[in-house]
Amino acid sequence: MQNKRIALTLLAAIAGAVFAGGCGSSKSAEPGPAPAAPVKAETPVDGGTLNLSMYSAPKGVFNPVVYEDQYDANVIGLVFNGLLKLGNQLEWVPDLADSYTVSPDNKTITFVLRKNVQWHDGKPFTAKDVAFTFKTILDPKYPGVRADDFMDLVGAEEYKAGKAQDVPGIKIIGDHEISFTTKEPMAPILERLAFPIIPEHVFTGSDLSKLMEHTATRMPIGTGPYKFVGYKADQFVELTRNDQYFGGKPHIDKVIYKIVNQEVALGQLQNGEIDFADAKPADMKVLGNMKNVKLDEQPNFGYQFMGFNHRHEFLKDKRVRQAFMYATNRQAIVDKLLAGKGTIMNSHMPPVSWAYDAKALNDYKFDPAKAAALLAEAGFKDKNADGYLTRDGKVLEFTLKYPTGNKVREQSATLIQDNLKSVGVKINLESMEFATMAKQVFDDRNADLWLMGWSLTLDPDPAGIFLVTPDNKWSQVTGWDSPQNKELIEKGVRVLKTEERKPIYSAWAKLINDELPYAFLYSENKIYAMSNRVKGWEPDIRGPLWNIEKLWIPAAG
């Protein structure tokens, strides 16, 4: 599962963090080998089909405004653009925008838009499309989960409540110029305005409460490097090159996202059925022996967790939740299931974030004795005939739900079950398709414990997941909240300087680390494998396909 906004999101592909480092160099007086002859640069050619893998079938909600999972986002990322995108230093640079300026009071951002952009149906892109996108999200009938991200715009609350006909904070200045004004300085606003833009002429006049059923949600029209062709449910998504792409015509004719089981993906990569796969640490030995692939590894700006239902009579006790953390051997997950290619998580902020503060956190080192002591404090002192703890005759028992198709999660579930059994907690395991589980967890609230993950945006503002509001189902799911949670989240976005924001987020992370809305588990490194036949591949912290229009495949023969 992903962050509610575009970190549910297209930015999941960015998986980023700024980190320093590099390879040192030294010179020796000893003569070295003669320099190799210069390699003649290859000239890109057009044509070919790029076969990508996707391990779970998308829902077919290819609309940036209402999609909710990463599998749909994979397609959306190639079909749509935002006003901004990330540069190679993880700075926000123009995309659909040509330039932007920020007012002296840090409340108004004005975008000058590109004039050479066409939608895939040939219609011109204008400021009306931009205004329509964000007003759709703020509309009273909007059925999605992203309205909270833009409630700081002037007039957004009144418009959302149906008390106003317009949003004064969204102002069309001309066909190719638009401004956004917030009530107060809002640190993450640039990131949020990088949201993919949808075509006004396609959706205008539609019943916004039924966006999920709109034809263009299933057959999207964007401005991106690839046009949507079709989706054959549970089999593949087909895209074709956008010859009019403002970023330069892509070289590769077609992109096919094939829905393949993760267990067979490596075999298909080796035999040439697919060109690209997200790999797992356990795959490294096999991949290292493949002569036809190249690998890349990047830190992951996200994490895996075990969700707690705080409405449960046992889980609402913080001591029980903390006992789960002490009883779970998270280092074993990293060492054994991730081959060491990951990091233990102790709070929402990943260690690669500038907002991370290790000194503020309890590291919850594996300590079954500490876990047992906390459970005893919570009143679980007796055991039944099967060796499980009880209180007032009730067994300390829970059901842990997890999605199929993710081997590490499946193995983690068994490890967690064994760890908790050792301290007297009975865990029943239940696996199911991701979409089914997501409905049970977020819509039906029918879960004690569940395994999921968040892909985060670069800005540390955690409002999308943790600020409890009527429209934010992600924050409501656990049933946890506190006055300090709201206070710190709202304070953290009102200052713009990193050095002023960091102590606020340190205090918030400490709160989360102590209260444990989730049992924080691990962050797994991203490992990408691409066929050698694909040229121009330059993966970096922005993801494996950030420059897809530059990729090319040599002609056969």
Side-chain angles (χ1 to χ4, degrees):
M1 201 61 192
Q2 322 302 324
N3 187 320
K4 163 183 104 78
R5 60 175 176 271
I6 200 118
L8 233 171
T9 113
L10 306 185
L11 293 183
I14 294 165
V18 180
F19 60 99
C23 298
S25 62
S26 60
K27 294 183 179 180
S28 169
E30 298 295 325
V39 177
K40 185 178 180 180
E42 295 181 279
T43 302
V45 298
D46 292 348
T49 298
L50 179 66
N51 294 299
L52 307 172
S53 64
M54 195 184 299
Y55 296 143
S56 291
K59 294 178 181 178
V61 182
F62 305 125
N63 183 335
V65 171
V66 290
Y67 84 100
E68 294 184 5
D69 72 62
Q70 182 59 35
Y71 307 113
D72 289 324
N74 289 335
V75 177
I76 289 170
L78 302 185
V79 174
F80 291 90
N81 297 93
L83 293 174
L84 304 170
K85 64 180 180 180
L86 285 173
N88 57 13
Q89 299 298 314
L90 297 185
E91 77 283 20
W92 291 108
V93 299
D95 194 13
L96 286 174
D98 189 58
S99 64
Y100 70 91
T101 56
V102 181
S103 64
D105 64 0
N106 291 313
K107 294 182 182 180
T108 299
I109 301 174
T110 302
F111 293 92
V112 175
L113 307 178
R114 293 179 181 268
K115 297 180 179 179
N116 64 330
V117 180
Q118 291 183 2
W119 292 100
H120 292 160
D121 61 4
K123 301 291 185 182
F125 161 77
T126 72
K128 288 183 179 180
D129 299 306
V130 179
F132 178 82
T133 298
F134 296 105
K135 288 181 183 179
T136 294
I137 294 172
L138 293 171
D139 193 277
K141 292 185 177 181
Y142 169 64
V145 296
R146 294 173 174 84
D148 283 349
D149 287 344
F150 305 102
M151 296 306 287
D152 284 272
L153 292 172
V154 173
E157 290 186 33
E158 294 82 358
Y159 188 74
K160 177 67 176 173
K163 297 178 180 179
Q165 299 298 311
D166 203 359
V167 185
I170 302 175
K171 183 180 179 181
I172 294 177
I173 301 170
D175 286 347
H176 296 92
E177 189 170 0
I178 189 170
S179 68
F180 296 85
T181 302
T182 55
K183 291 173 284 189
E184 299 291 340
M186 184 68 180
I189 192 63
L190 272 181
E191 179 178 285
R192 296 181 183 185
L193 291 176
F195 193 86
I197 305 302
I198 62 175
E200 185 260 356
H201 69 277
V202 171
F203 291 98
T204 189
S206 302
D207 182 348
L208 296 183
S209 67
K210 297 181 179 179
L211 274 178
M212 296 290 285
E213 292 80 42
H214 196 286
T215 300
T217 291
R218 305 294 172 180
M219 298 284 293
I221 296 172
T223 56
Y226 282 87
K227 299 179 180 182
F228 185 87
V229 175
Y231 171 36
K232 189 167 185 179
D234 301 323
Q235 294 188 41
F236 63 86
V237 178
E238 181 178 351
L239 308 174
T240 189
R241 179 174 64 191
N242 176 13
D243 289 347
Q244 307 304 318
Y245 182 50
F246 65 87
K249 185 180 77 171
H251 295 297
I252 295 174
D253 282 341
K254 290 184 179 182
V255 173
I256 306 292
Y257 262 114
K258 294 184 176 181
I259 291 85
V260 301
N261 187 290
Q262 192 171 4
E263 300 300 316
V264 302
L266 295 190
Q268 293 187 358
L269 182 67
Q270 186 169 31
N271 65 28
E273 290 182 61
I274 59 174
D275 296 306
F276 172 83
D278 286 308
K280 298 297 180 183
D283 301 328
M284 292 299 288
K285 182 177 291 187
V286 174
L287 287 168
N289 293 324
M290 290 188 189
K291 304 302 182 183
N292 65 320
V293 301
K294 43 203 169 190
L295 302 176
D296 184 72
E297 183 177 351
Q298 297 289 340
N300 192 344
F301 214 70
Y303 62 89
Q304 300 293 310
F305 65 88
M306 178 169 64
F308 288 130
N309 181 354
H310 291 236
R311 302 173 183 89
H312 191 287
E313 62 174 318
F314 296 156
L315 291 172
K316 64 184 179 183
D317 190 323
K318 179 173 70 174
R319 293 168 296 187
V320 175
R321 303 192 300 272
Q322 291 179 337
F324 275 43
M325 283 284 280
Y326 282 115
T328 302
N329 192 345
R330 297 173 296 150
Q331 190 63 53
I333 296 177
V334 171
D335 292 343
K336 296 179 181 179
L337 305 186
L338 304 182
K341 294 185 178 298
T343 304
I344 287 176
M345 293 292 294
N346 289 307
S347 190
H348 176 72
M349 306 296 181
V352 288
S353 170
W354 59 260
Y356 183 76
D357 182 5
K359 295 179 181 178
L361 306 177
N362 178 356
D363 60 10
Y364 290 101
K365 287 186 178 179
F366 181 52
D367 191 341
K370 177 68 172 176
L374 283 167
L375 292 174
E377 286 181 24
F380 296 96
K381 300 177 181 179
D382 300 322
K383 288 188 177 181
N384 65 11
D386 296 321
Y388 293 112
L389 290 168
T390 64
R391 187 178 73 185
D392 300 327
K394 295 181 179 180
V395 178
L396 188 57
E397 179 179 5
F398 308 92
T399 296
L400 171 60
K401 299 183 177 183
Y402 61 94
T404 55
N406 184 310
K407 189 173 181 180
V408 175
R409 279 187 189 154
E410 293 172 355
Q411 294 174 324
S412 296
T414 302
L415 184 147
I416 291 168
Q417 181 187 48
D418 291 342
N419 286 166
L420 291 174
K421 181 179 180 179
S422 71
V423 296
V425 182
K426 184 177 183 180
I427 299 294
N428 304 305
L429 301 181
E430 186 177 350
S431 64
M432 61 194 70
E433 288 293 323
F434 180 84
T436 300
M437 193 184 82
K439 182 179 184 301
Q440 291 187 12
V441 170
F442 292 106
D443 298 330
D444 303 337
R445 308 281 171 80
N446 179 24
D448 301 334
L449 307 166
W450 61 94
L451 295 183
M452 282 189 179
W454 292 119
S455 293
L456 307 179
T457 54
L458 299 183
D459 192 279
D461 173 34
I465 298 173
F466 288 102
L467 183 62
V468 180
T469 68
D471 294 329
N472 187 356
K473 70 178 181 180
W474 315 118
S475 67
Q476 297 169 17
V477 64
T478 64
W480 175 85
D481 196 12
S482 80
Q484 192 180 4
N485 176 52
K486 184 176 188 293
E487 175 188 347
L488 290 170
I489 289 177
E490 292 183 343
K491 186 178 179 181
V493 298
R494 298 304 178 206
V495 291
L496 302 185
K497 294 182 179 179
T498 298
E499 61 269 25
E500 294 176 2
R501 298 181 76 196
K502 185 167 183 175
I504 298 171
Y505 290 124
S506 293
W508 181 84
K510 184 177 182 180
L511 170 70
I512 294 292
N513 172 261
D514 180 63
E515 289 285 331
L516 296 177
Y518 307 134
F520 297 97
L521 298 177
Y522 60 90
S523 177
E524 179 181 348
N525 290 350
K526 291 282 190 179
I527 302 171
Y528 307 122
M530 180 71 84
S531 168
N532 283 333
R533 81 184 189 107
V534 180
K535 309 299 182 181
W537 192 51
E538 298 177 356
D540 64 21
I541 210 160
R542 290 169 288 183
L545 301 175
W546 69 269
N547 69 332
I548 191 167
E549 69 274 13
K550 303 296 184 184
L551 304 186
W552 60 283
I553 299 172

